[in-house]
Amino acid sequence: MDRVALRGLKARGHHGVFQKEREEGQTFIVDLTLGLDTRPAAADDDLAKTVHYGIVAEEVVAVVEGEPVDLIETLAERIAQTCLKHEGVREVEVCVHKPDAPITVPFDDVTVTITRSRV
């Protein structure tokens, strides 16, 4: 399976279990790896035979900016399901970063990474 990766998609969302997170929002960063067969697109040099990663990026940002959830696990799942709606995408790995998580000790990042595929 071939891979198309998008790294560092940034969007402001209002996800989290704390009221302050819901009210003020924060930046979330998403990394995606889409698994698909790129051979048909490459053979014909045809965008219609692969995934349009610009559209995927816009859809993922819309999910992050959309309806708030408590957990970034839930956010990652919603993003994965959005990606799998694209016909050629057979598998997706989603990593959601929450670099401004409300943690009381010094840290660099919090991430949740999931892999989902078509059944």
Side-chain angles (χ1 to χ4, degrees):
M1 194 171 326
D2 303 319
R3 303 274 182 240
V4 173
L6 291 90
R7 300 279 180 248
L9 295 172
K10 293 180 185 170
R12 188 158 187 84
H14 294 265
H15 312 288
V17 296
F18 297 113
Q19 189 65 27
K20 183 177 179 182
E21 293 178 290
R22 292 294 183 108
E23 290 173 359
E24 295 179 11
Q26 60 192 292
T27 299
F28 293 84
I29 301 166
V30 178
D31 299 326
L32 300 173
T33 303
L34 308 170
L36 63 154
D37 183 357
T38 63
R39 289 175 293 190
D44 294 335
D45 199 27
D46 186 352
L47 177 60
K49 295 182 179 180
T50 187
V51 64
H52 191 309
Y53 52 79
I55 291 173
V56 172
E58 291 171 358
E59 292 173 350
V60 168
V61 166
V63 171
V64 175
E65 292 176 343
E67 181 185 349
V69 296
D70 288 344
L71 304 176
I72 59 174
E73 291 87 343
T74 306
L75 183 59
E77 184 66 34
R78 287 183 178 180
I79 292 167
Q81 294 308 314
T82 297
C83 293
L84 288 171
K85 288 179 183 177
H86 290 267
E87 185 178 333
V89 177
R90 297 287 167 226
E91 180 179 275
V92 61
E93 180 180 275
V94 177
C95 180
V96 176
H97 300 256
K98 190 175 180 180
D100 299 320
I103 297 175
T104 60
V105 297
F107 73 102
D108 289 328
D109 198 6
V110 173
T111 66
V112 168
T113 303
I114 66 170
T115 302
R116 298 292 182 266
S117 60
R118 292 181 184 269
V119 178

